[in-house]
Amino acid sequence: MTFLEGGPALAEIHWHPPSSPESAARAEALFASSFDGAPAGVWSAPGRANLIGEHVDYVGGICLPLALPQRTWLAVRPRTDGLLRLVSGQCPEVWQGAVRAVRPGHPRGWPAYLAGVVWALISEGLLPAGFGGVDVAVHSDVPLGAGLSSSAALECALAVALAELFGSGSSLDTAGRSALVKACIRAENEIALAATGGMDQTVALHARTGHCLRLDCDSGAVDPLPLPLDANGLVLLVINTNAPHRLVDGQYRARRVVVERAARLLRVPTLRRISSVQDAVGRLAALGEDDPELLRRVRHAISETARAGAAARLLVEGRLAELGPLLDASHTSLREDYEVSSLELDNVVDAAKEAGALGARMVGGGFGGSALALVETAAVPAVTEAVLAATEAKALPTPTFLHALPGPSAARWS
Ligand code: GLA
């Protein structure tokens, strides 16, 4: 990217993902050094950013995620003895366990996402009950714990691998991919015990290059929307704060519990069925419900879906440069009403905006992780420089930057 030439602290800007052949070769090399022989193939799935529509997938809302060029790479080979053997570049000790021993809460840590997919595919009838197991070696270019959905990338890469190795010809058409989305969500919710909403798995399996998806999490509709950033002289800059983020620590689940309680009080299946914040507040007041925390959470859920709907309309009209105020309002709502931001996130968002970003917001589950900024191409060096200076001034972890060029969905490499 020529506009970064001579720019600030280039060593800290992970601008391009490594090339695909290099990443695939790393997964293969890890496979060869951990297990005997060669894999049956290599598959990969992307991490994700989300343009807008945060923390609304589990309330039937609208979100606009896109696949990152950074992907997680899996070298995979079937077994016949009912064992799973899993190894990752980040944790080179092989994890081994029986397929039939996989259950809620077991295994723990990263193997849960892979073992969970095997379990869920069997539960959904997409793998035979007597499935013989699999060896998997993982190399990930999706930064871990950065709120960029490295776990869904793991799940979805294995799901497509097993669908290709064991499924019918239709298992990777649109309906087949939707069935894999469902299985991957079950793996995450029921085995890894993360109460997440499904946006990440949907985009990993349905993404389209150059597009974001408009997910209607009420109707289930998935519509690609063109995101011609380059042609509009724009860059979507992902800023990884490098502050640790964890979804399984109860905060995410706690948010979900509150908005689901609100939906029950309002006697609707999800908050999506409520037309406006005023309507929700009025109806809750009539029920004698005035808990300020509940009202703030509801206000975020309803207003964020309205913003995501407005952003989708701007994209349809090709008005990308006008997205900024919606991104800013999303961040304010996530910070003030949903309370899922953090000092590090607020700091990079403020710095990016002061340096000329058109809009900026935290992305993903929050409590650390990453933010994104919509930036005119020429302003990228100034924005990255300002973000680095602002974090240095507060002695916060040094952020890293990714160029969120919308990439393709999970697929076979070789
Ligand atoms: C995480 C979850 C998603 C979604 C986002 C917040 O990434 O996995 O389901 O809820 O947080 O939008």
Side-chain angles (χ1 to χ4, degrees):
M1 289 289 146
T2 46
F3 54 80
L4 278 179
E5 269 166 21
L10 278 178
E12 284 149 2
I13 302 180
H14 296 181
W15 201 243
H16 291 298
S19 74
S20 297
E22 193 183 306
S23 299
R26 285 194 186 194
E28 277 177 313
L30 180 63
F31 191 98
S33 64
S34 308
F35 311 123
D36 292 333
V42 176
W43 286 262
S44 71
R48 65 99 191 89
N50 182 20
L51 190 58
I52 193 164
E54 212 66 87
H55 276 280
V56 293
D57 55 348
Y58 51 84
V59 295
I62 295 172
C63 29
L64 306 184
L66 55 133
L68 290 174
Q70 282 74 14
R71 301 172 73 85
T72 296
W73 299 82
L74 267 56
V76 179
R77 184 180 61 195
R79 299 178 62 85
T80 54
D81 58 0
L83 280 183
L84 301 173
R85 292 195 304 175
L86 314 174
V87 67
S88 147
Q90 268 90 10
C91 175
E93 206 160 295
V94 174
W95 179 90
Q96 179 171 318
V99 171
R100 61 181 157 66
V102 179
R103 58 186 184 277
H106 179 82
R108 289 188 183 281
W110 69 270
Y113 298 99
L114 295 174
V117 167
V118 171
W119 173 91
L121 291 173
I122 295 171
S123 306
E124 294 283 318
L126 298 170
L127 280 178
F131 176 62
V134 72
D135 289 333
V136 183
V138 180
H139 167 76
S140 187
D141 294 326
V142 183
L144 303 185
L148 300 175
S149 201
S150 56
S151 50
L154 256 186
E155 294 156 7
C156 297
L158 183 60
V160 289
L162 296 178
E164 288 211 20
L165 290 169
F166 298 99
S168 66
S170 65
S171 46
L172 286 178
D173 64 12
T174 302
R177 282 176 177 263
S178 295
L180 299 182
V181 169
K182 183 175 176 211
C184 291
I185 296 172
R186 288 194 65 189
E188 184 145 335
N189 291 169
E190 297 179 46
I191 300 299
L193 303 181
T196 51
M199 169 176 77
D200 308 342
Q201 293 79 4
T202 307
V203 66
L205 282 157
H206 288 292
R208 191 187 290 183
T209 304
H211 293 67
C212 66
L213 299 181
R214 181 188 186 281
L215 303 189
D216 184 322
C217 302
D218 190 38
S219 70
V222 178
D223 295 304
L225 293 178
L227 195 59
L229 292 157
D230 258 0
N232 282 271
L234 296 172
V235 164
L236 204 53
L237 187 68
V238 170
I239 307 166
N240 176 2
T241 64
N242 287 312
H245 124 114
R246 274 181 61 78
L247 284 187
V248 203
D249 66 359
Q251 288 287 352
Y252 184 98
R253 186 182 297 274
R255 296 299 180 282
R256 205 171 161 159
V257 166
V258 173
V259 287
E260 286 172 354
R261 181 169 154 254
R264 275 197 307 280
L265 287 168
L266 292 163
R267 297 181 185 280
V268 286
T270 68
L271 290 179
R272 178 65 185 286
R273 302 296 171 90
I274 307 289
S275 58
S276 68
V277 174
Q278 290 79 350
D279 182 22
V281 171
R283 287 165 68 173
L284 287 166
L287 292 165
E289 190 56 65
D290 58 1
D291 172 6
E293 182 188 306
L294 181 113
L295 294 176
R296 286 200 305 277
R297 305 293 189 250
V298 168
R299 186 162 59 190
H300 169 73
I302 297 175
S303 65
E304 182 72 354
T305 281
R307 284 185 288 272
R313 287 190 291 279
L314 285 179
L315 289 185
V316 168
E317 292 166 13
R319 295 160 61 194
L320 274 66
E322 294 171 47
L323 288 165
L326 291 169
L327 305 186
D328 294 345
S330 169
H331 187 74
T332 304
S333 179
L334 288 155
R335 187 186 67 216
E336 305 285 320
D337 281 347
Y338 222 57
E339 297 179 275
V340 292
S341 189
S342 68
L343 169 68
E344 294 87 350
L345 286 166
D346 294 343
N347 185 51
V348 299
V349 163
D350 290 347
K353 284 196 310 198
E354 274 163 35
L358 300 178
R361 54 179 291 272
M362 56 152 278
V363 66
F367 307 106
S370 298
L372 63 77
L374 183 68
V375 184
E376 284 170 348
T377 304
V380 170
V383 169
T384 53
E385 210 164 328
V387 167
L388 290 171
T391 49
E392 199 180 340
K394 294 201 168 78
L396 295 172
T398 304
T400 39
F401 301 90
L402 309 178
H403 186 183
L405 271 179
S409 66
R412 185 172 197 148
W413 171 256
S414 63

XYZ file of all heavy atoms in Angstrom, residues 48 50 53-58 147 149 188 196-201 245 247 252 364-366, ligand 1:
182
model
N -13.597 -12.023 11.146
C -14.568 -11.049 10.667
C -14.432 -9.703 11.371
O -13.960 -9.611 12.495
C -16.003 -11.554 10.828
C -16.505 -11.760 12.250
C -17.343 -10.654 12.818
N -17.530 -10.845 14.257
C -16.705 -10.374 15.167
N -15.633 -9.680 14.812
N -16.932 -10.590 16.449
N -17.210 -6.222 11.734
C -18.643 -5.953 11.601
C -18.787 -4.456 11.404
O -18.383 -3.681 12.266
C -19.374 -6.417 12.872
C -20.875 -6.206 12.794
O -21.414 -6.073 11.685
N -21.545 -6.174 13.937
N -24.053 -2.875 13.784
C -25.065 -3.844 14.218
C -24.411 -4.750 15.251
O -24.291 -5.960 15.055
N -23.972 -4.135 16.373
C -23.193 -4.892 17.365
C -24.060 -5.281 18.552
O -24.859 -4.471 19.042
C -22.026 -4.005 17.836
C -20.794 -4.775 18.194
C -20.166 -5.456 16.990
O -19.360 -4.816 16.293
O -20.486 -6.645 16.744
N -23.884 -6.506 18.988
C -24.677 -7.047 20.105
C -26.171 -7.001 19.789
O -26.990 -6.717 20.663
C -24.389 -6.284 21.413
C -23.167 -6.812 22.124
N -23.197 -7.945 22.910
C -21.900 -6.364 22.149
C -21.978 -8.158 23.402
N -21.167 -7.227 22.947
N -26.518 -7.272 18.542
C -27.945 -7.376 18.216
C -28.280 -8.684 17.509
O -29.444 -8.929 17.209
C -28.454 -6.181 17.362
C -28.426 -4.893 18.177
C -27.692 -6.031 16.071
N -27.270 -9.534 17.237
C -27.616 -10.780 16.529
C -28.510 -11.665 17.394
O -29.384 -12.361 16.893
C -26.373 -11.536 16.018
C -25.332 -11.864 17.065
O -25.398 -11.333 18.197
O -24.433 -12.684 16.750
N -28.330 -11.596 18.724
C -29.156 -12.451 19.602
C -30.459 -11.777 20.039
O -31.164 -12.318 20.890
C -28.339 -12.921 20.819
C -27.629 -11.804 21.572
C -28.291 -11.066 22.532
C -26.298 -11.505 21.298
C -27.646 -10.048 23.213
C -25.640 -10.492 21.974
C -26.322 -9.768 22.931
O -25.672 -8.753 23.594
N -11.226 -10.081 19.371
C -12.599 -9.724 19.013
C -12.843 -9.818 17.520
O -13.770 -9.208 16.987
N -13.080 -12.859 15.955
C -13.756 -14.110 15.694
C -12.847 -15.243 15.231
O -13.162 -15.986 14.302
C -14.849 -13.846 14.661
O -15.776 -14.844 14.738
N -20.380 -23.850 19.637
C -19.930 -22.739 20.484
C -20.820 -22.586 21.717
O -20.344 -22.402 22.831
C -19.913 -21.454 19.648
C -19.377 -20.274 20.405
C -18.585 -19.312 19.545
O -18.032 -19.705 18.501
O -18.527 -18.142 19.936
N -22.865 -17.059 22.464
C -22.801 -16.086 21.373
C -23.973 -16.261 20.401
O -24.681 -17.265 20.434
C -21.468 -16.227 20.627
O -21.297 -17.598 20.297
C -20.316 -15.796 21.511
N -24.111 -15.263 19.498
C -25.363 -15.154 18.755
C -25.411 -15.686 17.340
O -26.495 -15.823 16.795
N -24.291 -15.948 16.678
C -24.360 -16.555 15.351
C -23.892 -15.678 14.195
O -23.722 -16.163 13.076
N -23.677 -14.372 14.463
C -23.193 -13.500 13.383
C -21.868 -14.011 12.801
O -21.676 -14.025 11.578
C -22.985 -12.088 13.942
C -22.238 -11.160 13.015
S -22.128 -9.495 13.650
C -20.853 -9.615 14.906
N -20.967 -14.436 13.690
C -19.608 -14.767 13.258
C -19.598 -16.004 12.358
O -18.917 -16.043 11.327
C -18.712 -15.017 14.480
C -18.782 -13.865 15.474
O -19.221 -12.776 15.080
O -18.408 -14.067 16.641
N -20.345 -17.021 12.758
C -20.387 -18.249 11.964
C -21.076 -17.986 10.619
O -20.689 -18.534 9.584
C -21.132 -19.349 12.729
C -20.426 -19.832 13.986
C -20.596 -18.908 15.183
O -21.317 -17.904 15.134
N -19.944 -19.235 16.284
N -9.317 -9.804 25.523
C -10.788 -9.773 25.526
C -11.260 -11.203 25.725
O -10.723 -12.126 25.154
C -11.258 -9.158 24.197
C -12.204 -9.979 23.380
N -13.498 -9.613 23.148
C -12.037 -11.162 22.758
C -14.083 -10.532 22.408
N -13.228 -11.474 22.149
N -14.890 -13.572 26.053
C -16.357 -13.574 26.018
C -16.943 -14.522 27.048
O -18.100 -14.409 27.400
C -16.843 -14.050 24.646
C -16.753 -13.072 23.497
C -17.434 -13.676 22.293
C -17.411 -11.766 23.862
N -20.746 -11.076 28.627
C -21.539 -11.223 27.400
C -22.871 -11.892 27.735
O -23.943 -11.421 27.368
C -20.741 -12.064 26.397
C -21.397 -12.234 25.044
C -21.046 -11.434 23.968
C -22.374 -13.213 24.849
C -21.638 -11.595 22.728
C -22.971 -13.381 23.619
C -22.606 -12.578 22.556
O -23.201 -12.740 21.322
N -17.259 -6.299 17.596
C -17.307 -7.607 18.254
C -17.877 -7.510 19.658
O -18.612 -6.590 19.998
N -17.499 -8.462 20.488
C -18.096 -8.581 21.819
C -17.701 -7.464 22.769
O -18.446 -7.119 23.687
N -16.515 -6.865 22.581
C -16.094 -5.750 23.425
C -15.276 -6.173 24.623
O -14.707 -7.271 24.633
C -19.388 -11.865 19.482
C -20.442 -12.935 19.254
C -21.439 -12.514 18.172
C -21.990 -11.115 18.407
C -20.859 -10.145 18.730
C -21.367 -8.797 19.142
O -18.575 -11.742 18.350
O -19.825 -14.144 18.841
O -22.478 -13.470 18.119
O -22.961 -11.125 19.429
O -20.014 -10.622 19.778
O -22.041 -8.197 18.081
